Each structure stands twice: as structure tokens, then as C-alpha cells.
Amino acid sequence: MSEPYILPRKGSIQDPLRIAVLISGGGSGLLALLNYQQSNPCAHITKLIISDNVNAGGLRYGEDFSIPVAAIPLPESKNNVEQRIMHENLIHDILLNSNIELVVLSGYMRILTPNFVCKWKGRLINIHPSLLPKYPGAHAHRDALADGAKITGCTVHLVDEGVDTGKIISQQEVPILEGDTIEKLQERVKKVEHQLYPKVLDIFCSQDS
Ligand code: GRF
């Protein structure tokens, strides 16, 4: 059964929403968000950075911006389902202990199970590098190029129980150019993501729930 979205409280500049950002890699999106929060009055503030990958380059931004980080790798288990649930429960506990009000996925490369999603639904937001519902999943740029698409983009959406199927909040187009490779396209889309995500978060965090 699909649970309803329960939105966070309305944040303000005086009392911003406490955000945790989940990453798996380089964290260029995280860096863009932290720079934005530092130079603009916002209704959101990053209070925690979590990575499933202990070697994620983006973890270094915790030190740079004096924000606590938690590297939480998959725990040992022979049972894959059990392992995913244990991992998500560890993440859930640290989110609760840090009084997090909104979970921001930014290059987090694991698919979250309904076990986790149902606890945060409406307070769990993602950016995906395509114009959803086109090209969901981990290979959006490869799939867009293979499809011969002329336009792609990025989508900010609430996370639901499916893979990149949640309610769309905002999208922005990016052209695909002659001679594009996955890497070139990814860089062009990321630049747009870095502008779009913080602004969408501003609007999302300032709305009445
Ligand atoms: C972004 O394009 C994001 O949309 C996708 O993974 C990329 C993360 O890049 N899910 P980075 O780690 O923020 O540099």
C-alpha cells in the first residue's frame, strides 16, 4: 500500500528546516547547496552529511563547512534484504538523533526500500539527472544518448516507494549537443542541477505543510 506524503513544517530564515544530505560520491551537488546556504538567507540549513560510501569525496565538505558527517557502509549480512533494512535503520536512527526534518538525496546511489521511505515520505527529496518520467534509474545520461534524445534535463521530486517515480516538484531542460559523451552531458546537467536544487529547496521549505 502506498503511504501519503507528510510534508515538513514550514521553515523560515529565523528557524530553518534541519536538513541531512545523503551522498555516495564526489558531492558537487552538496557543495553547491552548502555554498548557497552560506551566501543566502534560507529556510533550510544542513546539519548532517551521510554517505553509504566511506571513501566518498563529498565527505570532506563536512570539515570545510563544520558540519558533522556519518559514513555508514552496508553492515555485514548474508541476507540482502536484511542487510538493506539494517543499513537504513542505522541511517534512520542517526537522522532522529540529529533532529533532522528533511532528507535531501544528492547523488545518493542506493535505492531506498519502502521500509525507510514510509518513515520519511514527504520529507525525502531527490534530484535526478533526466526529465522524469524519462530515463529513471542509475544510467539516465547513457539512456538519453542511446535514445537519440535532443533534450534532457533534471528533476527534483519527492521520493516514493518506486524508483524515481515520486511527485515531481520542478524540472529544467538541458540540451543534448552533437558529439556529447556521457561525461560531457553529465557535467552540463550538473551545472543546472546546482542552480535548481537549492532554489527548489527554498520554495519547498518555505511552504505551508
Ligand atoms: C548528480 O547528477 C545527481 O543528479 C545524480 O548523481 C550525480 C551526483 O553528483 N543522482 P555529485 O556526487 O553531486 O557530484
Side-chain angles (χ1 to χ4, degrees):
M1 198 190 77
S2 177
E3 301 292 330
Y5 291 110
I6 298 172
L7 299 178
R9 72 175 170 89
K10 180 178 177 170
S12 65
I13 292 161
Q14 296 72 27
D15 188 13
L17 283 183
R18 297 171 61 85
I19 285 181
V21 183
L22 269 60
I23 61 167
S24 296
S28 66
L30 165 66
L31 177 61
L33 178 62
L34 296 175
N35 280 331
Y36 183 90
Q37 288 173 332
Q38 202 167 63
S39 43
N40 296 275
C42 292
H44 46 87
I45 183 167
T46 301
K47 287 291 186 183
L48 179 64
I49 298 164
I50 295 180
S51 174
D52 60 318
N53 169 11
V54 293
N55 298 314
L59 284 171
R60 89 182 92 117
Y61 299 127
E63 195 175 329
D64 295 352
F65 286 80
S66 305
I67 296 168
V69 301
I72 308 180
L74 274 182
E76 293 287 323
S77 171
K78 290 203 176 77
N79 179 316
N80 182 262
V81 177
E82 205 175 271
Q83 186 184 39
R84 290 177 70 192
I85 304 253
M86 278 162 60
H87 185 234
E88 291 177 349
N89 286 346
L90 291 171
I91 293 175
H92 179 67
D93 286 348
I94 189 164
L95 292 170
L96 292 189
N97 287 337
S98 305
N99 296 318
I100 295 303
E101 298 175 283
L102 177 66
V103 179
V104 173
L105 305 182
S106 183
Y108 187 68
M109 297 312 285
R110 302 195 61 77
I111 293 167
L112 295 162
T113 70
N115 164 69
F116 182 88
V117 172
C118 73
K119 293 175 189 148
W120 290 94
K121 198 169 168 187
R123 294 166 300 135
L124 180 56
I125 195 165
N126 183 40
I127 188 156
H128 180 78
S130 77
L131 296 175
L132 291 171
K134 284 204 154 247
Y135 318 126
H139 303 286
H141 301 306
R142 182 197 70 187
D143 295 345
L145 289 171
D147 202 26
K150 295 279 174 267
I151 291 188
T152 186
C154 49
T155 302
V156 179
H157 66 96
L158 290 176
V159 177
D160 71 0
E161 292 80 357
V163 177
D164 300 324
T165 50
K167 183 173 187 274
I168 292 174
I169 300 177
S170 185
Q171 295 186 299
Q172 196 163 326
E173 290 184 356
V174 177
I176 296 180
L177 305 179
E178 198 70 35
D180 260 351
T181 58
I182 292 175
E183 292 71 28
K184 283 186 191 169
L185 184 56
Q186 182 179 45
E187 282 316 303
R188 190 173 321 113
V189 173
K190 274 192 188 185
K191 281 197 184 120
V192 175
E193 289 184 34
H194 297 168
Q195 301 291 318
L196 182 70
Y197 210 6
K199 287 188 188 142
V200 171
L201 285 172
D202 269 346
I203 297 167
F204 183 76
C205 293
S206 317
Q207 73 193 355
D208 289 309
S209 49

PDB file of all heavy atoms in Angstrom, residues 31-42 65:
ATOM      1  N   LEU A  31      28.142  20.439  -2.357  1.00  0.00           N
ATOM      2  CA  LEU A  31      28.948  21.664  -2.264  1.00  0.00           C
ATOM      3  C   LEU A  31      28.149  22.872  -2.753  1.00  0.00           C
ATOM      4  O   LEU A  31      28.177  23.940  -2.126  1.00  0.00           O
ATOM      5  CB  LEU A  31      30.237  21.510  -3.084  1.00  0.00           C
ATOM      6  CG  LEU A  31      31.131  22.741  -3.131  1.00  0.00           C
ATOM      7  CD1 LEU A  31      31.611  23.131  -1.732  1.00  0.00           C
ATOM      8  CD2 LEU A  31      32.336  22.512  -4.046  1.00  0.00           C
ATOM      9  N   ALA A  32      27.436  22.706  -3.846  1.00  0.00           N
ATOM     10  CA  ALA A  32      26.626  23.818  -4.367  1.00  0.00           C
ATOM     11  C   ALA A  32      25.575  24.232  -3.342  1.00  0.00           C
ATOM     12  O   ALA A  32      25.333  25.426  -3.116  1.00  0.00           O
ATOM     13  CB  ALA A  32      25.958  23.398  -5.685  1.00  0.00           C
ATOM     14  N   LEU A  33      24.973  23.259  -2.680  1.00  0.00           N
ATOM     15  CA  LEU A  33      23.949  23.568  -1.672  1.00  0.00           C
ATOM     16  C   LEU A  33      24.569  24.287  -0.473  1.00  0.00           C
ATOM     17  O   LEU A  33      24.019  25.280   0.024  1.00  0.00           O
ATOM     18  CB  LEU A  33      23.252  22.272  -1.230  1.00  0.00           C
ATOM     19  CG  LEU A  33      22.191  22.431  -0.138  1.00  0.00           C
ATOM     20  CD1 LEU A  33      21.038  23.317  -0.610  1.00  0.00           C
ATOM     21  CD2 LEU A  33      21.657  21.077   0.310  1.00  0.00           C
ATOM     22  N   LEU A  34      25.720  23.809  -0.021  1.00  0.00           N
ATOM     23  CA  LEU A  34      26.362  24.435   1.146  1.00  0.00           C
ATOM     24  C   LEU A  34      26.794  25.864   0.831  1.00  0.00           C
ATOM     25  O   LEU A  34      26.624  26.772   1.659  1.00  0.00           O
ATOM     26  CB  LEU A  34      27.559  23.594   1.603  1.00  0.00           C
ATOM     27  CG  LEU A  34      27.213  22.189   2.121  1.00  0.00           C
ATOM     28  CD1 LEU A  34      28.487  21.407   2.431  1.00  0.00           C
ATOM     29  CD2 LEU A  34      26.313  22.257   3.341  1.00  0.00           C
ATOM     30  N   ASN A  35      27.327  26.072  -0.370  1.00  0.00           N
ATOM     31  CA  ASN A  35      27.704  27.441  -0.771  1.00  0.00           C
ATOM     32  C   ASN A  35      26.479  28.333  -0.830  1.00  0.00           C
ATOM     33  O   ASN A  35      26.507  29.493  -0.391  1.00  0.00           O
ATOM     34  CB  ASN A  35      28.396  27.415  -2.137  1.00  0.00           C
ATOM     35  CG  ASN A  35      29.849  27.000  -2.022  1.00  0.00           C
ATOM     36  OD1 ASN A  35      30.491  27.242  -0.999  1.00  0.00           O
ATOM     37  ND2 ASN A  35      30.375  26.352  -3.049  1.00  0.00           N
ATOM     38  N   TYR A  36      25.401  27.803  -1.343  1.00  0.00           N
ATOM     39  CA  TYR A  36      24.155  28.577  -1.442  1.00  0.00           C
ATOM     40  C   TYR A  36      23.653  28.950  -0.036  1.00  0.00           C
ATOM     41  O   TYR A  36      23.291  30.103   0.221  1.00  0.00           O
ATOM     42  CB  TYR A  36      23.105  27.752  -2.188  1.00  0.00           C
ATOM     43  CG  TYR A  36      21.800  28.466  -2.413  1.00  0.00           C
ATOM     44  CD1 TYR A  36      21.586  29.224  -3.564  1.00  0.00           C
ATOM     45  CD2 TYR A  36      20.772  28.381  -1.482  1.00  0.00           C
ATOM     46  CE1 TYR A  36      20.383  29.884  -3.771  1.00  0.00           C
ATOM     47  CE2 TYR A  36      19.569  29.038  -1.683  1.00  0.00           C
ATOM     48  CZ  TYR A  36      19.382  29.784  -2.830  1.00  0.00           C
ATOM     49  OH  TYR A  36      18.193  30.444  -3.027  1.00  0.00           O
ATOM     50  N   GLN A  37      23.657  27.968   0.854  1.00  0.00           N
ATOM     51  CA  GLN A  37      23.153  28.227   2.213  1.00  0.00           C
ATOM     52  C   GLN A  37      24.030  29.246   2.937  1.00  0.00           C
ATOM     53  O   GLN A  37      23.531  30.021   3.747  1.00  0.00           O
ATOM     54  CB  GLN A  37      23.110  26.912   3.015  1.00  0.00           C
ATOM     55  CG  GLN A  37      21.999  25.986   2.537  1.00  0.00           C
ATOM     56  CD  GLN A  37      22.051  24.613   3.188  1.00  0.00           C
ATOM     57  OE1 GLN A  37      23.113  24.136   3.582  1.00  0.00           O
ATOM     58  NE2 GLN A  37      20.910  23.958   3.281  1.00  0.00           N
ATOM     59  N   GLN A  38      25.319  29.228   2.611  1.00  0.00           N
ATOM     60  CA  GLN A  38      26.238  30.155   3.271  1.00  0.00           C
ATOM     61  C   GLN A  38      26.049  31.590   2.768  1.00  0.00           C
ATOM     62  O   GLN A  38      26.259  32.534   3.506  1.00  0.00           O
ATOM     63  CB  GLN A  38      27.676  29.706   3.001  1.00  0.00           C
ATOM     64  CG  GLN A  38      28.657  30.228   3.999  1.00  0.00           C
ATOM     65  CD  GLN A  38      29.988  29.505   3.866  1.00  0.00           C
ATOM     66  OE1 GLN A  38      30.653  29.587   2.834  1.00  0.00           O
ATOM     67  NE2 GLN A  38      30.400  28.812   4.902  1.00  0.00           N
ATOM     68  N   SER A  39      25.641  31.742   1.516  1.00  0.00           N
ATOM     69  CA  SER A  39      25.597  33.106   0.973  1.00  0.00           C
ATOM     70  C   SER A  39      24.180  33.645   0.757  1.00  0.00           C
ATOM     71  O   SER A  39      24.027  34.740   0.223  1.00  0.00           O
ATOM     72  CB  SER A  39      26.407  33.182  -0.323  1.00  0.00           C
ATOM     73  OG  SER A  39      26.153  32.082  -1.117  1.00  0.00           O
ATOM     74  N   ASN A  40      23.159  32.894   1.172  1.00  0.00           N
ATOM     75  CA  ASN A  40      21.784  33.389   1.031  1.00  0.00           C
ATOM     76  C   ASN A  40      21.016  33.109   2.317  1.00  0.00           C
ATOM     77  O   ASN A  40      21.192  32.039   2.899  1.00  0.00           O
ATOM     78  CB  ASN A  40      21.043  32.647  -0.098  1.00  0.00           C
ATOM     79  CG  ASN A  40      21.667  32.887  -1.451  1.00  0.00           C
ATOM     80  OD1 ASN A  40      21.383  33.866  -2.111  1.00  0.00           O
ATOM     81  ND2 ASN A  40      22.535  31.978  -1.863  1.00  0.00           N
ATOM     82  N   PRO A  41      20.149  34.045   2.724  1.00  0.00           N
ATOM     83  CA  PRO A  41      19.263  33.709   3.841  1.00  0.00           C
ATOM     84  C   PRO A  41      18.298  32.616   3.382  1.00  0.00           C
ATOM     85  O   PRO A  41      17.662  32.758   2.338  1.00  0.00           O
ATOM     86  CB  PRO A  41      18.507  35.017   4.121  1.00  0.00           C
ATOM     87  CG  PRO A  41      19.039  36.039   3.184  1.00  0.00           C
ATOM     88  CD  PRO A  41      19.873  35.367   2.144  1.00  0.00           C
ATOM     89  N   CYS A  42      18.242  31.506   4.095  1.00  0.00           N
ATOM     90  CA  CYS A  42      17.480  30.335   3.632  1.00  0.00           C
ATOM     91  C   CYS A  42      16.541  29.811   4.715  1.00  0.00           C
ATOM     92  O   CYS A  42      16.810  29.980   5.899  1.00  0.00           O
ATOM     93  CB  CYS A  42      18.412  29.156   3.364  1.00  0.00           C
ATOM     94  SG  CYS A  42      19.502  29.306   2.026  1.00  0.00           S
ATOM     95  N   PHE A  65      32.932  22.877   6.089  1.00  0.00           N
ATOM     96  CA  PHE A  65      31.796  23.710   6.498  1.00  0.00           C
ATOM     97  C   PHE A  65      31.397  23.468   7.965  1.00  0.00           C
ATOM     98  O   PHE A  65      30.339  23.921   8.389  1.00  0.00           O
ATOM     99  CB  PHE A  65      30.591  23.442   5.580  1.00  0.00           C
ATOM    100  CG  PHE A  65      30.731  24.036   4.201  1.00  0.00           C
ATOM    101  CD1 PHE A  65      31.489  23.394   3.224  1.00  0.00           C
ATOM    102  CD2 PHE A  65      30.128  25.256   3.874  1.00  0.00           C
ATOM    103  CE1 PHE A  65      31.630  23.934   1.944  1.00  0.00           C
ATOM    104  CE2 PHE A  65      30.270  25.806   2.599  1.00  0.00           C
ATOM    105  CZ  PHE A  65      31.016  25.147   1.632  1.00  0.00           C
TER     106      PHE A  65
END
